[in-house]
Amino acid sequence: MNFEQWMRSVLERVEKALEHYLPPESIAPARLHEAMRYAVLGGGKRVRPLLCHAAGELTGARAESLEAAAAALEMVHVYSLVHDDMPCMDDDDLRRGKPTVHVKYDDAMALLVGDALQSQAFVALTEGAALAPAQQAALTRELALAIGSIGMAGGQAIDLASVGKKLTREELETMHRMKTGALLRASVRMGALAGETPDAQTLRALDAYAAAVGLAFQVVDDILDATSDSATLGKTAGKDAKDDKPTYVSIIGLDASRALAVQLRSDAHAALEPFGTRAQRLAELADLVVNRVS
Ligand code: GRG
């Protein structure tokens, strides 16, 4: 199976799993369930589910286990996007090529969609027998730590406080490691933990891979925000500069940002060396992230 075929088959499984774990609109409260489904289904690159599946292949995880973990990761990710787009945060009206949830519905509904998606993620992790009880506990802890105050929510707090400020490159990196890196790292770790329990060395190598890919993802996001257009991105382009937000492009410039993304792709590949061809999909995903701008 080549990479494109692999991606297609994983994406198909991800959509089915999301459909399975999202409450149907036929159940009350219908409007909340409709809005959750509007936010999650039919859009997005599904980077976190893809990382989760690729890492799970390393440890022989069952498809059913990976489907639950990947659905949880995507629901949490969408929750963060819905809240991030609200007027009290980034105030955006376009996401995945569609009106954002607070624009299509209202602010209260956007808050509730985010809240409910976060809860639903933990339902997915702990429902049925997709994951063994020890794995449920391990994955629940990974996800909870990644999205709390020392992870995604903490990174978002630093981000909001940094508007209009000059950050050093190190401070910018810390913010991104928490805001987007922590969930990407959890995607890789949760995939691996859904299979045969990985040893400490394996987890260390996967952490190094995830750190490089996570940062590359952010550098690429900054480059695209500065160089692409809203129609291509499906979200408002040029927003970082307009909002006076520190980015890799504003701190080190466009050419150095491109060079950094390429360097991080090499770092990601180097971290996978101990796994040989077993990590082929993870390596290809690092290429996919960076090749958008190189
Ligand atoms: C509200 C607690 C809370 C956190 C929000 C992740 C985040 C923190 C905000 C997202 C804002 C943003 C645009 C960050 C830049 C990088 C990023 C995460 C982009 C969106 O992720 P993609 O590119 O989006 O994977 P798709 O739509 O493809 O899933």
Side-chain angles (χ1 to χ4, degrees), residues 44-45 48 74 77 79-81 83-84 89 95-96 152-153 156 179-180 217-218 221 235:
K45 297 180 290 299
R48 293 145 195 86
E74 187 67 15
H77 167 57
Y79 129 64
S80 81
L81 298 180
H83 280 191
D84 182 68
M89 294 215 197
R95 173 70 66 186
R96 295 178 165 177
M152 186 176 76
Q156 180 76 347
K179 190 178 95 161
T180 51
F217 185 86
Q218 191 58 56
D221 196 73
K235 62 179 183 175

Side-chain angles (χ1 to χ4, degrees), residues 101-159:
V101 174
H102 69 275
V103 168
K104 175 143 174 89
Y105 296 87
D106 55 36
D107 285 7
M109 190 57 87
L111 260 186
L112 292 170
V113 163
D115 294 343
L117 285 176
Q118 183 176 181
S119 300
Q120 199 59 21
F122 291 99
V123 171
L125 286 182
T126 51
E127 196 174 75
L131 291 154
Q135 289 174 324
Q136 290 182 359
L139 270 68
T140 295
R141 184 171 166 78
E142 284 291 334
L143 187 58
L145 279 173
I147 67 178
S149 61
I150 57 161
M152 186 176 76
Q156 180 76 347
I158 297 175
D159 187 2

Side-chain angles (χ1 to χ4, degrees), residues 10-280:
V10 171
L11 290 175
E12 224 169 86
R13 294 211 314 256
V14 169
E15 295 312 304
K16 274 201 192 120
L18 288 168
E19 182 64 52
H20 171 76
Y21 286 111
L22 283 166
E25 287 169 36
S26 54
I27 291 179
R31 197 163 161 76
L32 176 58
H33 292 153
E34 177 199 301
M36 289 165 73
R37 300 173 74 84
Y38 172 82
V40 174
L41 298 175
K45 297 180 290 299
R46 310 300 196 208
V47 170
R48 293 145 195 86
L50 286 164
L51 284 170
C52 177
H53 274 85
E57 289 191 1
L58 267 182
T59 57
R62 290 184 311 129
E64 214 186 343
S65 311
L66 291 172
E67 279 157 19
L73 285 157
E74 187 67 15
M75 287 192 283
V76 157
H77 167 57
V78 175
Y79 129 64
S80 81
L81 298 180
V82 172
H83 280 191
D84 182 68
D85 288 333
M86 291 184 68
C88 59
M89 294 215 197
D90 241 20
D91 193 9
D92 223 321
D93 53 13
L94 187 67
R95 173 70 66 186
R96 295 178 165 177
K98 301 189 293 191
T100 45
V101 174
H102 69 275
V103 168
K104 175 143 174 89
Y105 296 87
D106 55 36
D107 285 7
M109 190 57 87
L111 260 186
L112 292 170
V113 163
D115 294 343
L117 285 176
Q118 183 176 181
S119 300
Q120 199 59 21
F122 291 99
V123 171
L125 286 182
T126 51
E127 196 174 75
L131 291 154
Q135 289 174 324
Q136 290 182 359
L139 270 68
T140 295
R141 184 171 166 78
E142 284 291 334
L143 187 58
L145 279 173
I147 67 178
S149 61
I150 57 161
M152 186 176 76
Q156 180 76 347
I158 297 175
D159 187 2
L160 291 171
S162 70
V163 173
K165 293 212 179 102
K166 288 232 170 308
L167 292 191
T168 63
R169 188 169 157 174
E170 287 71 32
E171 287 168 334
L172 185 70
E173 199 170 308
T174 301
M175 176 182 85
H176 290 317
R177 205 173 44 241
M178 294 168 74
K179 190 178 95 161
T180 51
L183 190 60
L184 292 166
R185 174 175 180 264
S187 306
V188 174
R189 288 175 66 92
M190 285 167 64
L193 288 164
E196 287 290 316
T197 309
D199 59 25
Q201 213 181 340
T202 297
L203 281 178
R204 263 199 306 277
L206 289 177
D207 280 351
Y209 164 83
V213 168
L215 208 52
F217 185 86
Q218 191 58 56
V219 175
V220 166
D221 196 73
D222 286 356
I223 294 171
L224 289 174
D225 185 76
T227 58
S228 195
D229 55 76
S230 303
T232 309
L233 294 179
K235 62 179 183 175
T236 313
K239 195 134 192 317
D240 294 333
K242 185 171 158 279
D243 293 348
D244 200 13
K245 278 200 168 177
T247 67
Y248 279 95
V249 174
S250 71
I251 292 178
I252 62 173
L254 197 52
D255 289 346
S257 297
R258 284 210 173 94
L260 176 60
V262 170
Q263 176 59 50
L264 288 164
R265 179 178 59 196
S266 301
D267 295 348
H269 282 220
L272 297 175
E273 263 164 29
F275 305 122
T277 53
R278 286 190 305 138
Q280 186 190 344

